[in-house]
Amino acid sequence: MICAQAFKVSLEEGTPYFWCTCGLSQREPFCDGSHKGTGLKSHCFTVPVSGEVILCGCKQTKTPPFCDGSHVEG
Ligand code: FES
């Protein structure tokens, strides 16, 4: 975690990842199945190049699953 609402993670090119959209996961920013019964589901994504990325933790990003700075707006 790089701040209260964003996570710096190292990801592998072409590997499917499941970003948590509900905020209930114990494995943030990744889905652990805790969304069951909420009506929400995870967001599957891949990255084109291996390396570090910043994933959203506040769930307000307009560019999911990546942080767009929405957590500091308002
Ligand atoms: S645990 Fe949050 S979307 Fe799956």
Side-chain angles (χ1 to χ4, degrees):
M1 183 182 301
I2 61 168
C3 69
Q5 291 88 18
F7 298 85
K8 180 189 279 187
V9 295
S10 183
L11 303 180
E12 294 291 324
E13 172 186 343
T15 299
Y17 295 98
F18 296 87
W19 177 66
C20 171
T21 63
C22 73
L24 299 175
S25 177
Q26 297 300 305
R27 294 182 52 239
E28 286 278 9
F30 302 106
C31 174
D32 70 354
S34 296
H35 62 268
K36 193 171 185 178
T38 66
L40 298 173
K41 61 181 182 178
S42 62
H43 176 93
C44 183
F45 71 102
T46 59
V47 292
V49 178
S50 296
E52 292 187 333
V53 297
I54 307 297
L55 298 182
C56 173
C58 75
K59 315 306 179 189
Q60 301 304 309
T61 182
K62 296 169 191 66
T63 59
F66 305 102
C67 176
D68 68 355
S70 291
H71 63 277
V72 295
E73 295 174 2

